[in-house]
Structures are given as structure tokens and as C-alpha cells.
Amino acid sequence: MLKNNTQGYGLISILIHWISAIAVFTMFGLGLWLEELSYYDEMYRVVPHWHKSIGILLALLVLFRIIWMFSHPAPKPLGSPALAKIAKAGHGILYLILIVLFISGYLISTADGHSIDVFDWFSVPGFGSFVENQEDIAGEIHELLAFGIIGLAVLHALAALKHHFLDRDNTLSRMIKPVRNSDDN
Amino acid sequence: MKKVLSALLFSALLSPMAQAADYKIDVKGTHAFINFKISHLGYSWLTGRFNEFDGSFSFDEKNPNAAQISLDINPSSVDTNHSERDKHIRSKDFLHVNKFPDAGFESTRITHEGDNKYKVIGDLTMHGVTKQVIIDAYKVGEGKDPWGGYRAGFSGTTKIKMEDFGIKNVLGPASAEIEFQLHIEGIRQ
């Protein structure tokens, strides 16, 4: 139930997947919102704090997810092997963009050496600037990739829907409910 | 002969007065600072500075009205000791440095106001807008330095309204004005 098997995903992979999905879209919304806030808005100081806090937590979750993924391989892909290769590359790019988003976001806020507070639970130390005008360069990358990951996530969702409605296979349903494996005990 | 001699003597006496000494601002040794302060909500002062600039001035005590100063400032070098705020200041909300990468000051007239005081009238360029400002300045001192050179230093302040330079004030009425504080040391060339 908790771990993946050859047929489907376990509860841990499923939960991490959906928490990540919700977090990515929430982060995108918060990111757009904090850009628009005016100085006297009562949310002016809150939204960036949420965005940074959730971002750090999501980074930790994704780090755990990558470790988990290597120790608990995903079930066999369904459908054509050629498309499965493209899907695998797509998943790789999703992880890559996420990692660069975490790093660039971190580099914006810590360019002055200040730490990042994660809610009021703990803080992540800052190490200052490694390049000149780091907060601007990191900011450009962060914004560009934010749109990139949303675009890719939409493609990812469309691909899942294609599996579900056109191919009529289990790709989407096994990411919703753990599958009992006939090979397993 | 007497006439020629007196003319020579006269011009020799006059010439150092006519052309003021040229000074290069000591940015290499960082003995010059372009600082600013702005009110935060009306409750406190926020200070910052521009780290990158260059410039020169000419000045002669005997002929202060012939003095001149020019400064080139890199607006993206703004530093308020907070990277998120600096990023915001460089953005289109404030200095919009991608669109307006040049800033600076060029004096048009300097008047001696008695003692060590001077009024420096000139054009300040910022956010793509050039406007006349008056800097209230005073000479801090001048003389030989311990390394074989000759230095002169001035301080000056001027206040500008952000909106005069096309920057919408989103910070509230208490923060409409910015005070610039210049501390300039030059090495005589």
C-alpha cells in the first residue's frame, strides 16, 4: 500500500505527487500575486513570506521525492515505448526546472546574506552573492522557469488525460489509488 | 619693455586663477559616497547608496565661481542592504534600470555663498528625466595627502521629489522626497 510495485504507485508516491502538484500551482499563484501587491496592501509582507516558506518546504519534499524515487522505482509505463521515452524525458525536465526554481528563488532572497524564514518554524541561512546583481539575474530565471513549469505541468496533465480517455489505460487512475500487485504478497 | 614685462607678470599671476585645478574623484580608493535617505512610513529613515559612479570636478579657491562637477552614476548599483528591496528599486516601479541605464549630475553654475559654502546648480538625470537641482555644498577641506598628492573634499545635500523624475510614489506621502547626500573627495591631476 505504501510503496510502489510493478503495477502501480504506493500511497507515499501518490501523496507526494499530488502535494507537489497543488504546491506548484499555489506557488505560481502566490508568485503572481506578490508581484502585483502595492506597498500599503495588508498582504504586502505576508504573501512573499508564504511564497518563500512554502518554496523551501517544497524543495525539501522534492529532495525527499528524488531519493525515494531512486530507492523505489516507478511502475512500468503503459502505452507505446516511444511515447514512454518522451514521458520519461518530460518528467526529468519537470524535476530539473523545479530544482533550478528552488535554487534561483533562494539566490534572490539571500543575495544580501540574509536568511530565509520558513513560517516561524526555522530559517535557512543565506550565503550572500556569488555573481554581481545576483538577485536580478536569479529573478529573471525564476520568473521564466515559473511559466515554463506551468506550461509543462499542463502538458503533463493533458498527457495523463489522453492515457485515461483515449488509450483507456491505468496511467491516471494508478496515480490516484494504490494498485494491489498480483506479483506481491 | 616695461609694458611687456608687466603684461607677462600680469598674465602669470592671472592664469592660475583663470583655469581651476582639475580633480578626479577618488572612486578607486572609495573616498567618495553617493548616499540617500528616504522616510519609511514617516516613522524612520531608510538609507542606501550607489556603489558605482565616476566623475571629476574642477575647483580653485581663488576663483570658486569657475568650479564645475560632473558625475556618472550607475543606477543598478543601488544598495540598501536588502537584496529583495534593491531588486524592487531597480524594477520598473522605481529606477527602471533596464530602460534607463544612465544617471548622473552635471553642474551648470556654482556660486560661492561665503565661508566654505557653495551652491551647486546643475542637471540631475535619473529615470530618463533630466531636471535642475540645487545642491547645498560645503568644502570639507583640501591639502596635501601623505602620499605625495593633493586632495580636496566636499559634502552636499539636495532633496528631490520622486514624482518630478517620473517615478510614481507608491510609498506614501511621507516618502515622496529623497534626500541625496554626497561626499566627494578628488585627487588633483
Side-chain angles (χ1 to χ4, degrees):
Chain A
M1 268 299 266
L2 284 180
K3 294 176 181 177
N4 304 346
N5 57 40
T6 53
Q7 310 292 310
Y9 292 98
L11 204 56
I12 288 174
S13 294
I14 291 174
L15 276 175
I16 294 176
H17 171 267
W18 289 107
I19 291 169
S20 303
I22 293 165
V24 163
F25 279 91
T26 306
M27 286 295 282
F28 186 66
L30 290 174
L32 292 179
W33 192 12
L34 72 84
E35 287 278 311
E36 295 308 314
L37 284 167
S38 70
Y39 198 62
Y40 278 75
D41 199 297
E42 60 175 330
M43 300 306 279
Y44 185 79
R45 292 162 54 80
V46 179
V47 178
H49 178 57
W50 286 349
H51 184 85
K52 287 182 277 185
S53 298
I54 298 171
I56 297 283
L57 295 178
L58 181 60
L60 295 175
L61 182 70
V62 169
L63 188 69
F64 172 79
R65 187 178 182 183
I66 291 169
I67 297 166
W68 182 261
M69 203 168 60
F70 278 108
S71 51
H72 301 81
K76 291 185 294 243
L78 306 170
S80 97
L83 283 177
K85 266 194 185 140
I86 293 172
K88 195 167 178 179
H91 297 156
I93 296 168
L94 276 170
Y95 281 107
L96 190 69
I97 294 180
L98 274 176
I99 291 164
V100 181
L101 272 168
F102 297 142
I103 295 171
S104 57
Y106 171 84
L107 291 177
I108 298 170
S109 294
T110 58
D112 50 18
H114 290 170
S115 53
I116 298 176
D117 290 333
V118 179
F119 294 108
D120 290 319
W121 306 337
F122 64 96
S123 62
V124 178
F127 294 99
S129 284
F130 302 98
V131 292
E132 209 173 317
N133 287 352
Q134 174 173 301
E135 58 271 36
D136 302 279
I137 299 163
E140 297 277 337
I141 295 170
H142 196 72
E143 186 174 6
L144 206 69
L145 290 184
F147 284 96
I149 199 149
I150 293 301
L152 207 55
V154 168
L155 281 180
H156 176 70
L158 288 175
L161 292 174
K162 178 223 169 231
H163 276 282
H164 195 72
F165 290 110
L166 298 180
D167 305 340
R168 293 173 182 279
D169 66 25
N170 258 342
T171 302
L172 181 58
S173 10
R174 71 183 184 183
M175 193 39 105
I176 293 168
K177 223 177 103 187
V179 180
R180 264 187 204 288
N181 195 346
S182 41
D183 319 340
D184 263 9
N185 40 9
Chain B
M1 189 62 200
K2 219 175 174 185
K3 233 179 180 176
V4 176
L5 204 69
S6 64
L8 267 173
L9 202 69
F10 186 69
S11 65
L13 276 171
L14 203 74
S15 59
M17 284 201 250
Q19 65 183 122
D22 291 323
Y23 290 81
K24 188 165 173 18
I25 293 172
D26 187 17
V27 288
K28 238 184 177 158
T30 316
H31 292 110
F33 304 88
I34 298 178
N35 301 340
F36 61 87
K37 69 170 189 177
I38 182 166
S39 172
H40 183 227
L41 307 170
Y43 307 147
S44 72
W45 291 110
L46 185 155
T47 72
R49 64 185 194 203
F50 290 93
N51 288 333
E52 288 168 28
F53 57 92
D54 206 351
S56 57
F57 61 85
S58 20
F59 174 77
D60 191 329
E61 183 113 63
K62 297 188 200 93
N63 189 11
N65 293 334
Q68 206 274 331
I69 178 166
S70 70
L71 284 169
D72 284 319
I73 303 166
N74 177 5
S76 63
S77 70
V78 66
D79 181 358
T80 66
N81 194 26
H82 185 11
S83 59
E84 289 166 5
R85 178 166 57 218
D86 295 344
K87 180 173 179 287
H88 193 195
I89 295 172
R90 285 191 281 264
S91 78
K92 61 180 179 355
D93 283 355
F94 296 98
L95 294 178
H96 204 176
V97 299
N98 286 339
K99 197 171 171 202
F100 308 112
D102 299 309
F105 177 78
E106 194 85 35
S107 73
T108 49
R109 196 156 52 88
I110 294 180
T111 58
H112 190 199
E113 302 289 306
D115 295 334
N116 280 339
K117 294 197 180 72
Y118 299 88
K119 266 203 185 338
V120 183
I121 299 142
D123 297 322
L124 175 67
T125 301
M126 196 173 80
H127 192 249
V129 177
T130 301
K131 259 204 140 67
Q132 190 179 76
V133 298
I134 299 170
I135 302 174
D136 292 314
Y138 71 97
K139 191 181 81 179
V140 181
E142 70 175 303
K144 286 184 189 145
D145 66 27
W147 316 286
Y150 190 94
R151 291 167 188 253
F154 296 84
S155 275
T157 58
T158 188
K159 280 183 189 164
I160 61 139
K161 273 205 182 75
M162 265 193 284
E163 295 199 325
D164 285 347
F165 286 83
I167 301 168
K168 206 172 150 242
N169 177 21
V170 295
L171 303 174
S175 311
E177 279 191 339
I178 303 169
E179 181 177 320
F180 283 97
Q181 303 167 324
L182 297 96
H183 306 287
I184 302 293
E185 178 179 296
I187 306 169
R188 197 163 73 187
Q189 298 300 293

